Amino acid sequence: AEGLNLCTSGSATSCEECLLIHPKCAWCSKEEFGSTKSITSRCDFLQNLIANGCAGAIENPSSSISVVKNVPLSSKGSGQTHLDVTQITPQKVALNLRPGDQTSFRVRVRQVEDYPVDLYYLMDLSLSMNDDLDNIRNLGTKLAEEMRKLTSNFRLGFGSFVDKNISPFSYTAPRYQNNPCIGYKLFPSCVPSFGFRHLLSLTDKVDRFNEEVQKQKVSRNRDAPEGGFDAILQAAVCKEKIGWRKEASHLLVFTTDDVPHIALDGKLGGLVQPHDGQCHLNEANEYSASSQLDYPSLALLGEKLAENNIHLIFAVTKSHYVLYKNFTALIPGTTVEILHKDSKNIIELIVKAYNSIRSKVELTVWDSPEDIGLTFTATCQDGLSYPGLRKCGDLKIGDTVSFEVAVEARSCPAEDTSHAFTIKPAGFRDTLEVVVTYNCLCGCTSHAAPASGKCSGNGTYTCGLCECDAGYLGARCECEEGASGDMHQAMCREAEGKPLCSGRGECSCNQCLCYESEFGNIYGPFCECDDFSCARYKGVLCSGHGECHCGECKCHAGYIGDNCNCSTETDACVSSDGQMCSGRGTCVCGKCQCTEPGAFGETCEKCPTCPGVCSTKRDCIECKLFNSGRLADNQTCQKHCKDEIITTVDVLETDDPNAILCAYPVNNCVMKFTYLELASGKSNLTVLKEPACSSAPSAVTIVLAVIGSVVLIGIILLGLWKLLVTIHDRREFDRFQSERSRARYEMASNPLYRKPISTHNVEFTFNKLNKSYNGTVD
């Protein structure tokens, strides 16, 4: 073989050690094989051993499988008895595993028609559920009518809960003992608080259900959360009192309008003892440990529901939907539906949840040993194989799906050890039992010869080698412990010039005795290998998912990489539409790496800027609102558009910066909608009720528009001309005024002005009384 030879590099010193190195390693038990100076290893690949002359003396066991019980699948579940109904095949398989040698078998599952159903209705009777109680007075009759369309064998039970009757969860003052509603004006009378009360065992007489419901009255607790998880656990584990049938499908409908108390909340009331997961119903069918035990944890609920094959249906109001939806991810086999505030849609809700449960199959594994690796490949109704998946959806009653289960043993336990584990579809009664034994011993080991002459009488000859007694060393046990000399030194060097035993051991009788190390085991012919010098991830050797062999991680099934930190599981990468990473990325180490620009989310399902988003959302709008388009088939539409919340409006608001505006043509019109990703993982689509349409303008309209435009332009131009003329005139007038103010002469000194009075001077001379006068006359 080319490259690294895992078998020879492992330096196995016995046949059993060789088998543990790799499933393709084989051991040569032939006495004369190689020589003391040869590097030929008895542990090698099969073809190498044959090539080196070991044909006929090779130990190479392999894994095997045998089907112990294989009853054919049933087609119907109706009849007098249902114990012989088979929904999974085979029912028992025996595996004989060689470590590292993976073997596989196929499991087929079918949900039979007309399967019996037990439904237990668990109702919150706190004060806020008073209107709900009124609406389910005749629920039994109506629900039975609807469920008998799905199964001819239907039984119904009833129980109720409020909360622990201790402070601070309930009113405990003496005045509230008989009526905790005293002083409450809106509802002055109610019954005392209680934890859980089993009222009606499962029965096919639905009239008794109606009678019990009509007897009930609401109670009042102090804080908002309710004690519903106490009730769920008691309804699951008290099988005899509730009346769960082994041969029926078990549905537990949990109705409430508030959040639940969970583990550790009980400490507020002084309850420090964790829930023990046992049934505590007294003779009055009331939960007797309500004031002694804390609320159960989600893990305990999931465990007990699965043990008793119970499908839990959360029927909760819209305001608490997201919280309970998160619970379903932590409690396998659980669904959640939105309950109207008055519980009017409860029958529709139960039928919808039941159909959802019956439309999928998911395998679960119970009591799987730590040294056993399991991988699943699902083959669903489309005929395609999905590696890493253990569930199928979108099934119809009577459909058959199959799963290939690959099993691998990682190590060898003690001799004659066997393990068993169970594979079962979630919520099914049917199981597949798998019994595992280990093929870790070589056949030649049974022919071991103690004190053999081939070992100088100082050891046991087995599988072609000598296992020396204490105090003896050497290939034939010919050396006593402590003997040394130059003649043996060369056999302890990996190559000339290298240190003896790689500096990590002592050379004794041509063999290296490796030192002990606090970090792990040092081994190899020259102490050149160890099991602690491999790559680590977050400080853990081989990430805890592999074994360290001579400096290299040998990963367990389902993991790859230099340090085995990369999972090959693809379950988490499959989006709701069945595509790997929504077609926008690749699955690397069990997580989606989005390659499409703008894509994000755990499965790259969110991508507001992707070019195909509007087209994808358009398909959902057409199939959900108008029952048209390529997804018009109801089941296909529900599958691909289950996370789309569609709202129709008269006027589309586009001012949200996070919303993407989309439009597409519809019969010469345009349908517009906005698309917004919500924090819950769903998409909010806001759509116009009617497409936006525009009619073609008439010729008269066009002519009038042109004339109007010309007139308008003319008026605008005239206005501009008038404005310019006015500006020019004002400038001229201002200039005239300025020049006038600068004039330097007065009105009287105007050279053009003439006075209205004229003055003339006349010179004359005359004598009067012999006197002469000379002057002027005016």
Side-chain angles (χ1 to χ4, degrees):
E2 297 180 357
L4 176 67
N5 189 323
L6 298 174
C7 305
T8 57
S9 63
S11 301
T13 58
S14 68
C15 183
E16 284 74 16
E17 288 182 11
C18 177
L19 300 184
L20 287 173
I21 294 175
H22 194 272
K24 292 186 178 180
C25 292
W27 179 267
C28 178
S29 61
K30 187 177 181 180
E31 180 180 354
E32 298 297 332
F33 182 69
S35 63
T36 57
K37 292 187 177 182
S38 173
I39 61 172
T40 304
S41 173
R42 290 181 178 273
C43 184
D44 207 337
F45 292 115
L46 177 63
Q47 61 270 28
N48 292 348
L49 293 179
I50 295 175
N52 291 328
C54 192
I58 296 176
E59 296 287 336
N60 186 27
S62 60
S63 299
S64 61
I65 178 174
S66 62
V67 178
V68 179
K69 185 178 181 182
N70 189 17
V71 178
L73 293 172
S74 304
S75 58
K76 275 201 167 186
S78 59
Q80 295 298 321
T81 177
H82 304 278
L83 296 176
D84 56 349
V85 174
T86 303
Q87 298 186 96
I88 184 172
T89 186
Q91 292 79 43
K92 187 173 183 178
V93 171
L95 304 177
N96 185 244
L97 301 179
R98 173 182 170 177
D101 186 19
Q102 190 178 83
T103 187
S104 62
F105 56 91
R106 186 164 291 276
V107 179
R108 298 172 64 238
V109 182
R110 176 191 296 160
Q111 298 226 40
V112 300
E113 299 178 13
D114 198 21
Y115 198 69
V117 176
D118 287 346
L119 189 149
Y120 192 78
Y121 193 88
L122 188 57
M123 183 174 182
D124 177 3
L125 284 187
S126 59
L127 196 58
S128 58
M129 295 288 285
N130 185 54
D131 55 344
D132 301 73
L133 184 60
D134 293 335
N135 285 325
I136 68 164
R137 300 286 185 189
N138 298 312
L139 173 66
T141 304
K142 297 177 182 178
L143 181 58
E145 290 176 359
E146 291 298 322
M147 290 300 295
R148 282 177 179 143
K149 296 177 183 178
L150 305 174
T151 175
S152 61
N153 194 335
F154 175 69
R155 299 199 310 168
L156 188 61
F158 182 60
S160 61
F161 66 91
V162 181
D163 206 347
K164 295 181 183 296
N165 194 19
I166 59 175
S167 182
F169 311 118
S170 297
Y171 293 92
T172 57
R175 65 188 296 257
Y176 294 117
Q177 287 298 312
N178 296 322
N179 181 11
C181 293
I182 287 180
Y184 188 60
K185 296 181 179 179
L186 296 178
F187 204 91
S189 178
C190 59
V191 300
S193 180
F194 56 91
F196 165 63
R197 187 174 291 159
H198 169 52
L199 301 168
L200 177 66
S201 298
L202 291 163
T203 177
D204 55 2
K205 298 176 181 178
V206 295
D207 290 340
R208 290 191 57 198
F209 179 91
N210 296 337
E211 292 172 4
E212 287 297 331
V213 172
Q214 291 174 2
K215 296 177 184 177
Q216 303 311 307
K217 295 183 178 180
V218 294
S219 181
R220 183 188 183 197
N221 58 324
R222 172 171 286 174
D223 60 349
E226 320 291 3
F229 281 6
D230 271 341
I232 292 175
L233 187 63
Q234 294 304 299
V237 299
C238 299
K239 297 180 286 187
E240 289 77 15
K241 291 202 173 188
I242 302 298
W244 297 115
R245 294 177 292 178
K246 291 184 179 180
E247 68 276 11
S249 179
H250 303 158
L251 303 182
L252 178 57
V253 180
F254 176 83
T255 61
T256 185
D257 63 350
D258 221 316
V259 299
H261 278 297
I262 58 176
L264 301 183
D265 282 358
K267 288 188 176 182
L268 295 172
L271 305 181
V272 296
Q273 184 176 352
H275 206 292
D276 57 7
Q278 302 300 315
C279 177
H280 294 285
L281 290 185
N282 57 23
E283 293 181 357
N285 285 332
E286 291 191 1
Y287 179 38
S288 59
S290 179
S291 58
Q292 286 86 41
L293 301 178
D294 191 9
Y295 298 98
S297 65
L298 293 173
L300 182 60
L301 277 182
E303 177 185 340
K304 295 303 177 181
L305 289 170
E307 280 182 6
N308 296 284
N309 307 318
I310 295 175
H311 291 286
L312 176 60
I313 302 172
F314 286 125
V316 299
T317 51
K318 187 175 182 180
S319 58
H320 301 296
Y321 177 82
V322 174
L323 173 66
Y324 283 90
K325 182 67 174 177
N326 293 335
F327 285 158
T328 63
L330 303 173
I331 307 177
T334 305
T335 59
V336 60
E337 298 291 343
I338 296 178
L339 178 71
H340 292 174
K341 289 188 176 181
D342 54 4
S343 293
K344 284 187 177 180
N345 69 325
I346 186 64
I347 295 178
E348 176 188 349
L349 182 152
I350 292 173
V351 172
K352 179 181 177 182
Y354 177 73
N355 288 330
S356 174
I357 291 170
R358 295 279 280 168
S359 68
K360 59 188 176 183
V361 170
E362 180 175 4
L363 296 187
T364 59
V365 182
W366 289 76
D367 303 321
S368 177
E370 292 183 358
D371 62 344
I372 295 292
L374 295 173
T375 55
F376 294 83
T377 300
T379 303
C380 301
Q381 279 302 106
D382 55 8
L384 301 178
S385 295
Y386 298 94
L389 282 182
R390 59 173 72 180
K391 61 183 177 182
C392 287
D394 297 322
L395 303 178
K396 298 178 181 178
I397 302 300
D399 286 347
T400 303
V401 294
S402 63
F403 302 86
E404 184 177 359
V405 185
V407 188
E408 178 184 345
R410 301 190 183 115
S411 61
C412 274
E415 191 174 347
D416 297 329
T417 298
S418 64
H419 290 124
F421 62 92
T422 301
I423 296 176
K424 67 188 294 290
F428 281 51
R429 170 183 61 89
D430 305 70
T431 61
L432 164 60
E433 181 184 1
V434 182
V435 179
V436 179
T437 55
Y438 298 86
N439 192 355
C440 297
L441 297 178
C442 297
C444 56
T445 305
S446 60
H447 304 295
S452 172
K454 298 177 182 179
C455 303
S456 306
N458 300 320
T460 300
Y461 181 78
T462 175
C463 296
L465 288 180
C466 287
E467 294 181 358
C468 300
D469 297 336
Y472 293 92
L473 299 171
R476 298 299 177 186
C477 305
E478 69 277 16
C479 298
E480 291 189 30
E481 190 172 355
S484 61
D486 293 339
M487 61 178 292
H488 304 301
Q489 299 284 316
M491 302 298 294
C492 294
R493 299 181 191 273
E494 188 174 5
E496 188 175 351
K498 288 199 173 185
L500 290 173
C501 300
S502 304
R504 304 200 295 180
E506 294 180 355
C507 182
S508 177
C509 193
N510 78 11
Q511 286 188 339
C512 284
L513 301 179
C514 302
Y515 297 140
E516 293 184 357
S517 172
E518 62 180 351
F519 301 108
N521 183 36
I522 299 175
Y523 60 94
F526 310 105
C527 302
E528 75 279 11
C529 293
D530 60 55
D531 59 3
F532 54 83
S533 296
C534 290
R536 297 172 182 265
Y537 179 69
K538 293 185 178 180
V540 180
L541 190 68
C542 299
S543 306
H545 302 305
E547 308 295 336
C548 181
H549 289 292
C550 204
E552 184 178 353
C553 287
K554 308 302 178 188
C555 301
H556 297 158
Y559 292 91
I560 58 174
D562 293 339
N563 51 16
C564 303
N565 70 325
C566 184
S567 172
T568 59
E569 289 284 337
T570 59
D571 279 9
C573 294
V574 179
S575 56
S576 59
D577 60 1
Q579 294 189 75
M580 195 67 66
C581 298
S582 304
R584 302 187 183 111
T586 56
C587 189
V588 179
C589 298
K591 294 182 179 179
C592 281
Q593 291 188 357
C594 304
T595 56
E596 185 79 20
F600 63 99
E602 292 185 357
T603 58
C604 305
E605 74 280 6
K606 301 176 182 179
C607 186
T609 59
C610 288
V613 172
C614 285
S615 176
T616 303
K617 303 305 178 184
R618 167 189 174 177
D619 292 337
C620 291
I621 290 172
E622 289 181 339
C623 75
K624 277 196 166 187
L625 293 184
F626 309 111
N627 194 29
S628 62
R630 65 183 188 88
L631 302 180
D633 178 67
N634 187 50
Q635 289 190 351
T636 306
C637 186
Q638 292 298 327
K639 173 184 176 182
H640 289 277
C641 306
K642 61 182 180 180
D643 291 331
E644 314 299 337
I645 302 173
I646 301 178
T647 307
T648 58
V649 296
D650 293 319
V651 179
L652 193 63
E653 299 291 340
T654 59
D655 53 353
D656 189 344
N658 297 319
I660 305 299
L661 178 63
C662 299
Y664 63 91
V666 179
N667 298 329
N668 296 324
C669 299
V670 177
M671 175 62 80
K672 295 182 179 180
F673 65 92
T674 57
Y675 153 58
L676 177 64
E677 290 286 0
L678 303 177
S680 62
K682 293 185 175 293
S683 300
N684 190 12
L685 303 180
T686 305
V687 190
L688 283 175
K689 287 184 178 180
E690 298 292 338
C693 300
S694 59
S695 58
S698 63
V700 175
T701 303
I702 295 175
V703 171
L704 292 177
V706 171
I707 294 173
S709 300
V710 171
V711 172
L712 179 61
I713 293 172
I715 293 173
I716 292 173
L717 292 176
L718 285 174
L720 289 174
W721 175 83
K722 178 62 177 176
L723 177 63
L724 292 174
V725 169
T726 302
I727 292 173
H728 179 268
D729 289 348
R730 290 196 175 188
R731 285 179 178 175
E732 290 296 319
F733 180 75
D734 290 342
R735 190 174 63 179
F736 169 76
Q737 289 288 85
S738 176
E739 291 178 354
R740 181 180 178 186
S741 64
R742 290 196 299 269
R744 294 177 178 242
Y745 51 81
E746 297 295 334
M747 183 68 69
S749 62
N750 192 332
L752 301 179
Y753 177 74
R754 299 291 183 181
K755 289 184 178 181
I757 300 174
S758 299
T759 303
H760 300 277
N761 293 327
V762 179
E763 293 183 1
F764 63 90
T765 302
F766 63 91
N767 293 319
K768 185 178 182 182
L769 299 181
N770 297 321
K771 289 184 181 180
S772 295
Y773 294 91
N774 185 16
T776 59
V777 180
D778 294 329

